[in-house]
């Protein structure tokens, strides 16, 4: 069951990401006459739980001092592009290569700061773009977009036509190389 939360109506269960609900409360979402009774029959077996969707809109930086964030701690994403976990793996790849390069040197504080700054400069724009687009896709598929509403003829073309190419066909080795190069330039 999806609870539509907005900035004016936040998640009503602080400290929890799920909430058990009654079977009747769940079935209220399936009262539409277009829903097949066989599907409703399957739902009698469900143990209904309401899940919160949380979206960390923007992060100013992914590091401070010698502490660095990656994955969901840096950019918790809605699931509507199926790319949040992959962004965390990309973070880890770039950061691991920066750390590997740092291990070759003297690891002065300036070098470490240069490495974390390079990681941030490479990863944050891409991860933030994914995060923002996941939110946008969520508004489309739940018919909450002001411009498209419930008009699938407007929504579908925006979910197609190479929309995800930047995400799926990105050159990660280029990101690694840029981060390491940026780090070396800054620390010299």
């Amino acid at each position: 069951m999806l609870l539509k939360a907005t900035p004016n109506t936040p998640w009503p269960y602080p400290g929890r990401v799920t909430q058990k609900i009654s079977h009747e409360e769940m079935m209220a979402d399936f009262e539409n006459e277009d829903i097949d009774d066989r599907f409703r029959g399957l739902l009698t077996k469900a143990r209904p739980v309401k899940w919160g969707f949380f979206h960390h809109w923007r992060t100013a930086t992914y590091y401070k001092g010698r502490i660095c964030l990656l994955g969901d701690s840096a950019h918790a994403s809605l699931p509507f592009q199926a790319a949040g976990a992959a962004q965390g793996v990309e973070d880890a790849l770039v950061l691991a290569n920066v750390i590997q390069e740092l291990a070759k040197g003297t690891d002065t504080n300036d070098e470490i700061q240069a490495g974390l700054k390079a990681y941030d400069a490479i990863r944050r724009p891409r991860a933030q773009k994914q995060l923002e687009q996941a939110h946008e896709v969520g508004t489309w598929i739940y018919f909450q977009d002001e411009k498209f509403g419930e008009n699938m003829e407007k929504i579908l073309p925006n979910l197609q036509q190479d929309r995800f190419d930047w995400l799926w066909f990105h050159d990660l080795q280029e990101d690694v190389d840029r981060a390491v190069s940026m780090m070396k330039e800054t620390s010299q």
Side-chain angles (χ1 to χ4, degrees):
M1 175 175 196
L2 177 71
L3 174 66
K4 179 182 174 186
T6 66
N8 297 326
T9 57
W11 177 249
Y13 311 106
R16 294 180 274 167
V17 296
T18 64
Q19 174 65 28
K20 290 182 181 179
I21 60 170
S22 70
H23 192 268
E24 292 75 24
E25 189 178 355
M26 176 189 70
M27 291 308 290
D29 282 348
F30 300 97
E31 291 176 352
N32 185 313
E33 64 187 41
D34 293 334
I35 295 176
D36 191 310
D37 284 333
R38 293 173 293 179
F39 179 69
R40 285 191 192 102
L42 285 173
L43 291 176
T44 63
K45 309 288 185 200
R47 293 182 189 152
V49 174
K50 187 183 296 187
W51 281 85
F53 283 142
F54 303 96
H55 182 70
H56 186 230
W57 190 243
R58 290 192 175 83
T59 304
T61 183
Y62 289 177
Y63 79 101
K64 183 173 182 176
R66 297 178 92 159
I67 297 174
C68 184
L69 301 176
L70 66 155
D72 283 354
S73 66
H75 45 77
S77 176
L78 293 169
F80 305 120
Q81 287 193 137
Q87 291 302 301
V89 171
E90 290 181 20
D91 289 349
L93 175 70
V94 172
L95 187 58
N97 278 273
V98 164
I99 292 170
Q100 180 181 17
E101 193 63 33
L102 284 169
K104 295 176 185 176
T106 57
D107 287 346
T108 67
N109 192 51
D110 288 343
E111 289 173 329
I112 292 168
Q113 291 303 300
L116 297 180
K117 182 177 181 180
Y119 159 77
D120 179 75
I122 298 301
R123 287 300 308 146
R124 193 163 38 90
R126 178 168 164 77
Q128 293 297 139
K129 181 177 179 180
Q130 188 285 135
L131 181 119
E132 290 168 10
Q133 285 195 358
H135 178 267
E136 183 178 46
V137 170
T139 66
W140 295 344
I141 65 175
Y142 285 103
F143 306 124
Q144 296 172 348
D145 185 79
E146 291 177 14
K147 186 170 62 172
F148 298 152
E150 295 183 18
N151 188 335
M152 290 303 290
E153 290 181 15
K154 290 182 180 179
I155 294 169
L156 284 177
N158 285 284
L159 291 172
Q160 300 165 344
Q161 301 172 355
D162 306 326
R163 175 182 174 80
F164 301 104
D165 285 358
W166 73 272
L167 184 61
W168 294 337
F169 303 111
H170 184 71
D171 186 344
L172 294 174
Q173 186 59 52
E174 182 180 317
D175 284 356
V176 167
D177 295 344
R178 285 179 44 225
V180 168
S181 175
M182 187 182 298
M183 176 186 70
K184 287 178 179 178
E185 289 172 15
T186 304
S187 65
Q188 292 178 353

